[in-house]
Amino acid sequence: MIVPGASSQALAAAVATAMDEPLAAVEYDRFPDGETLAAVPEFDGGRAVVVATTDSNDAWVELLQLQDAVREAGAAEVVTVIPYMGYARQDEAFDAGHPVSARAMAKAVSTGADRVVLVNPHEEALTSFFDAHVTVVDAAARLAAPLPDDLSDPLFLSPDSGAIELAESVREAYGRGETDYFEKVRHSGTEVEVTPSDADAAGRDAVIVDDIVATGSTMSEAVSYLRSDGAARVFAACVHPLLVRNARTKLERAGIERIVGTDTVERDVSVVSVAPNVAAAVDAVTQ
Ligand code: R5P
């Protein structure tokens, strides 16, 4: 049975269809002191596949409760799919007295899951934080499908060297084009500086590929640079379209043509589903 988190209802339904498994109805309650409750009353054993993006503190609590609820109801196996793992960017202690939040979350999830599936986690090294077995799904190549067929002399760029593999995956899936990357310096949570890549963007269509668009600071800086360099159309492609605060406005003002993302985070730009990748990964870890 597929058990959906509140932030992953469309993806969980698509996974249920892909795997030909029933989709559970989750029930919610909130107590007078503010505590939340997520329950799966109809679950009656077998394998439970919890699909829950953790893009908020409430979503993290819900995920832990869903895992525990199905375990309490006699689940033979709990496979937890975290399409977008929040706190993943806090993967080290940034200063004295700081937590490694990603590790704390991974440990908590591991108490209730037999297996974990992560879609494009911010860093592959995050997998070592889990005590449970982790399968990583790379869905970046799917981002090529919604791009127009007529891209002119396309240039696929990542905003920093760390994301170059994502840009290469999309370029390969698209079938033609050049790949390059920016150098990025982050000054604060919302202030980012990108420095030019080697490639000349003048007159070309560009696709900037990243794992996450959160505040849009990184992406809008890169879009602005390309537009001032004479790029024709500039597209943004990301696995996790968080788009918090005024990210959309920043991107529009920078001159973006279109942003495309996957349904790891359910937004209006989530035009690509990772359901086939997730279904394959769940089956693989279960065998
Ligand atoms: C950073 O390493 C990530 O790959 C993204 O570039 C970053 O998380 C995007 O954040 P924002 O949209 O807030 O600039």
mmCIF file with all atom_site columns, all heavy atoms in Angstrom, residues 2 4 8-18 23:
data_model
loop_
_atom_site.group_PDB
_atom_site.id
_atom_site.type_symbol
_atom_site.label_atom_id
_atom_site.label_alt_id
_atom_site.label_comp_id
_atom_site.label_asym_id
_atom_site.label_entity_id
_atom_site.label_seq_id
_atom_site.pdbx_PDB_ins_code
_atom_site.Cartn_x
_atom_site.Cartn_y
_atom_site.Cartn_z
_atom_site.occupancy
_atom_site.B_iso_or_equiv
_atom_site.pdbx_formal_charge
_atom_site.auth_seq_id
_atom_site.auth_comp_id
_atom_site.auth_asym_id
_atom_site.auth_atom_id
_atom_site.pdbx_PDB_model_num
ATOM 1  N N   . ILE A 1 2  ? 0.471  2.249  -0.801  1.00 0.00 ? 2  ILE A N   1
ATOM 2  C CA  . ILE A 1 2  ? 1.215  3.498  -0.873  1.00 0.00 ? 2  ILE A CA  1
ATOM 3  C C   . ILE A 1 2  ? 0.569  4.490  0.096   1.00 0.00 ? 2  ILE A C   1
ATOM 4  O O   . ILE A 1 2  ? -0.646 4.729  0.049   1.00 0.00 ? 2  ILE A O   1
ATOM 5  C CB  . ILE A 1 2  ? 1.179  4.090  -2.303  1.00 0.00 ? 2  ILE A CB  1
ATOM 6  C CG1 . ILE A 1 2  ? 1.582  3.030  -3.348  1.00 0.00 ? 2  ILE A CG1 1
ATOM 7  C CG2 . ILE A 1 2  ? 2.065  5.325  -2.391  1.00 0.00 ? 2  ILE A CG2 1
ATOM 8  C CD1 . ILE A 1 2  ? 2.970  2.460  -3.197  1.00 0.00 ? 2  ILE A CD1 1
ATOM 9  N N   . PRO A 1 4  ? 0.502  8.290  1.348   1.00 0.00 ? 4  PRO A N   1
ATOM 10 C CA  . PRO A 1 4  ? 0.968  9.622  0.931   1.00 0.00 ? 4  PRO A CA  1
ATOM 11 C C   . PRO A 1 4  ? 1.141  10.602 2.080   1.00 0.00 ? 4  PRO A C   1
ATOM 12 O O   . PRO A 1 4  ? 0.287  10.700 2.965   1.00 0.00 ? 4  PRO A O   1
ATOM 13 C CB  . PRO A 1 4  ? -0.171 10.100 0.018   1.00 0.00 ? 4  PRO A CB  1
ATOM 14 C CG  . PRO A 1 4  ? -1.388 9.428  0.545   1.00 0.00 ? 4  PRO A CG  1
ATOM 15 C CD  . PRO A 1 4  ? -0.957 8.131  1.184   1.00 0.00 ? 4  PRO A CD  1
ATOM 16 N N   . SER A 1 8  ? 2.872  15.273 -0.814  1.00 0.00 ? 8  SER A N   1
ATOM 17 C CA  . SER A 1 8  ? 3.231  14.401 -1.948  1.00 0.00 ? 8  SER A CA  1
ATOM 18 C C   . SER A 1 8  ? 2.038  13.613 -2.459  1.00 0.00 ? 8  SER A C   1
ATOM 19 O O   . SER A 1 8  ? 2.177  12.463 -2.893  1.00 0.00 ? 8  SER A O   1
ATOM 20 C CB  . SER A 1 8  ? 4.342  13.428 -1.537  1.00 0.00 ? 8  SER A CB  1
ATOM 21 O OG  . SER A 1 8  ? 5.520  14.124 -1.235  1.00 0.00 ? 8  SER A OG  1
ATOM 22 N N   . GLN A 1 9  ? 0.851  14.219 -2.433  1.00 0.00 ? 9  GLN A N   1
ATOM 23 C CA  . GLN A 1 9  ? -0.352 13.452 -2.776  1.00 0.00 ? 9  GLN A CA  1
ATOM 24 C C   . GLN A 1 9  ? -0.414 13.073 -4.258  1.00 0.00 ? 9  GLN A C   1
ATOM 25 O O   . GLN A 1 9  ? -0.798 11.955 -4.600  1.00 0.00 ? 9  GLN A O   1
ATOM 26 C CB  . GLN A 1 9  ? -1.588 14.241 -2.372  1.00 0.00 ? 9  GLN A CB  1
ATOM 27 C CG  . GLN A 1 9  ? -1.651 14.432 -0.861  1.00 0.00 ? 9  GLN A CG  1
ATOM 28 C CD  . GLN A 1 9  ? -2.833 15.267 -0.429  1.00 0.00 ? 9  GLN A CD  1
ATOM 29 O OE1 . GLN A 1 9  ? -3.980 14.922 -0.709  1.00 0.00 ? 9  GLN A OE1 1
ATOM 30 N NE2 . GLN A 1 9  ? -2.564 16.366 0.235   1.00 0.00 ? 9  GLN A NE2 1
ATOM 31 N N   . ALA A 1 10 ? -0.036 13.999 -5.136  1.00 0.00 ? 10 ALA A N   1
ATOM 32 C CA  . ALA A 1 10 ? -0.087 13.682 -6.566  1.00 0.00 ? 10 ALA A CA  1
ATOM 33 C C   . ALA A 1 10 ? 0.971  12.649 -6.925  1.00 0.00 ? 10 ALA A C   1
ATOM 34 O O   . ALA A 1 10 ? 0.701  11.680 -7.656  1.00 0.00 ? 10 ALA A O   1
ATOM 35 C CB  . ALA A 1 10 ? 0.114  14.953 -7.395  1.00 0.00 ? 10 ALA A CB  1
ATOM 36 N N   . LEU A 1 11 ? 2.181  12.836 -6.395  1.00 0.00 ? 11 LEU A N   1
ATOM 37 C CA  . LEU A 1 11 ? 3.247  11.875 -6.687  1.00 0.00 ? 11 LEU A CA  1
ATOM 38 C C   . LEU A 1 11 ? 2.902  10.493 -6.125  1.00 0.00 ? 11 LEU A C   1
ATOM 39 O O   . LEU A 1 11 ? 3.089  9.477  -6.808  1.00 0.00 ? 11 LEU A O   1
ATOM 40 C CB  . LEU A 1 11 ? 4.580  12.367 -6.111  1.00 0.00 ? 11 LEU A CB  1
ATOM 41 C CG  . LEU A 1 11 ? 5.754  11.394 -6.238  1.00 0.00 ? 11 LEU A CG  1
ATOM 42 C CD1 . LEU A 1 11 ? 5.996  10.993 -7.690  1.00 0.00 ? 11 LEU A CD1 1
ATOM 43 C CD2 . LEU A 1 11 ? 7.016  12.000 -5.634  1.00 0.00 ? 11 LEU A CD2 1
ATOM 44 N N   . ALA A 1 12 ? 2.399  10.438 -4.896  1.00 0.00 ? 12 ALA A N   1
ATOM 45 C CA  . ALA A 1 12 ? 2.047  9.144  -4.298  1.00 0.00 ? 12 ALA A CA  1
ATOM 46 C C   . ALA A 1 12 ? 0.990  8.432  -5.138  1.00 0.00 ? 12 ALA A C   1
ATOM 47 O O   . ALA A 1 12 ? 1.060  7.207  -5.344  1.00 0.00 ? 12 ALA A O   1
ATOM 48 C CB  . ALA A 1 12 ? 1.558  9.335  -2.864  1.00 0.00 ? 12 ALA A CB  1
ATOM 49 N N   . ALA A 1 13 ? 0.027  9.190  -5.648  1.00 0.00 ? 13 ALA A N   1
ATOM 50 C CA  . ALA A 1 13 ? -1.014 8.587  -6.500  1.00 0.00 ? 13 ALA A CA  1
ATOM 51 C C   . ALA A 1 13 ? -0.389 8.041  -7.785  1.00 0.00 ? 13 ALA A C   1
ATOM 52 O O   . ALA A 1 13 ? -0.755 6.945  -8.246  1.00 0.00 ? 13 ALA A O   1
ATOM 53 C CB  . ALA A 1 13 ? -2.088 9.625  -6.822  1.00 0.00 ? 13 ALA A CB  1
ATOM 54 N N   . ALA A 1 14 ? 0.552  8.787  -8.340  1.00 0.00 ? 14 ALA A N   1
ATOM 55 C CA  . ALA A 1 14 ? 1.213  8.323  -9.574  1.00 0.00 ? 14 ALA A CA  1
ATOM 56 C C   . ALA A 1 14 ? 2.060  7.082  -9.301  1.00 0.00 ? 14 ALA A C   1
ATOM 57 O O   . ALA A 1 14 ? 2.123  6.169  -10.133 1.00 0.00 ? 14 ALA A O   1
ATOM 58 C CB  . ALA A 1 14 ? 2.076  9.448  -10.155 1.00 0.00 ? 14 ALA A CB  1
ATOM 59 N N   . VAL A 1 15 ? 2.677  7.022  -8.132  1.00 0.00 ? 15 VAL A N   1
ATOM 60 C CA  . VAL A 1 15 ? 3.469  5.838  -7.761  1.00 0.00 ? 15 VAL A CA  1
ATOM 61 C C   . VAL A 1 15 ? 2.538  4.634  -7.576  1.00 0.00 ? 15 VAL A C   1
ATOM 62 O O   . VAL A 1 15 ? 2.840  3.520  -8.021  1.00 0.00 ? 15 VAL A O   1
ATOM 63 C CB  . VAL A 1 15 ? 4.298  6.104  -6.477  1.00 0.00 ? 15 VAL A CB  1
ATOM 64 C CG1 . VAL A 1 15 ? 4.924  4.817  -5.955  1.00 0.00 ? 15 VAL A CG1 1
ATOM 65 C CG2 . VAL A 1 15 ? 5.378  7.155  -6.741  1.00 0.00 ? 15 VAL A CG2 1
ATOM 66 N N   . ALA A 1 16 ? 1.383  4.872  -6.945  1.00 0.00 ? 16 ALA A N   1
ATOM 67 C CA  . ALA A 1 16 ? 0.407  3.784  -6.744  1.00 0.00 ? 16 ALA A CA  1
ATOM 68 C C   . ALA A 1 16 ? -0.042 3.223  -8.088  1.00 0.00 ? 16 ALA A C   1
ATOM 69 O O   . ALA A 1 16 ? -0.140 1.991  -8.271  1.00 0.00 ? 16 ALA A O   1
ATOM 70 C CB  . ALA A 1 16 ? -0.789 4.293  -5.946  1.00 0.00 ? 16 ALA A CB  1
ATOM 71 N N   . THR A 1 17 ? -0.297 4.112  -9.039  1.00 0.00 ? 17 THR A N   1
ATOM 72 C CA  . THR A 1 17 ? -0.695 3.665  -10.377 1.00 0.00 ? 17 THR A CA  1
ATOM 73 C C   . THR A 1 17 ? 0.434  2.886  -11.042 1.00 0.00 ? 17 THR A C   1
ATOM 74 O O   . THR A 1 17 ? 0.215  1.809  -11.605 1.00 0.00 ? 17 THR A O   1
ATOM 75 C CB  . THR A 1 17 ? -1.086 4.884  -11.252 1.00 0.00 ? 17 THR A CB  1
ATOM 76 O OG1 . THR A 1 17 ? -2.167 5.560  -10.616 1.00 0.00 ? 17 THR A OG1 1
ATOM 77 C CG2 . THR A 1 17 ? -1.497 4.460  -12.653 1.00 0.00 ? 17 THR A CG2 1
ATOM 78 N N   . ALA A 1 18 ? 1.644  3.443  -10.958 1.00 0.00 ? 18 ALA A N   1
ATOM 79 C CA  . ALA A 1 18 ? 2.793  2.792  -11.608 1.00 0.00 ? 18 ALA A CA  1
ATOM 80 C C   . ALA A 1 18 ? 3.064  1.416  -11.019 1.00 0.00 ? 18 ALA A C   1
ATOM 81 O O   . ALA A 1 18 ? 3.495  0.503  -11.720 1.00 0.00 ? 18 ALA A O   1
ATOM 82 C CB  . ALA A 1 18 ? 4.037  3.676  -11.473 1.00 0.00 ? 18 ALA A CB  1
ATOM 83 N N   . LEU A 1 23 ? -3.829 3.040  -2.785  1.00 0.00 ? 23 LEU A N   1
ATOM 84 C CA  . LEU A 1 23 ? -3.396 4.310  -2.204  1.00 0.00 ? 23 LEU A CA  1
ATOM 85 C C   . LEU A 1 23 ? -4.151 4.511  -0.890  1.00 0.00 ? 23 LEU A C   1
ATOM 86 O O   . LEU A 1 23 ? -5.379 4.510  -0.870  1.00 0.00 ? 23 LEU A O   1
ATOM 87 C CB  . LEU A 1 23 ? -3.730 5.440  -3.194  1.00 0.00 ? 23 LEU A CB  1
ATOM 88 C CG  . LEU A 1 23 ? -3.319 6.858  -2.853  1.00 0.00 ? 23 LEU A CG  1
ATOM 89 C CD1 . LEU A 1 23 ? -1.795 6.997  -2.778  1.00 0.00 ? 23 LEU A CD1 1
ATOM 90 C CD2 . LEU A 1 23 ? -3.880 7.820  -3.911  1.00 0.00 ? 23 LEU A CD2 1
#
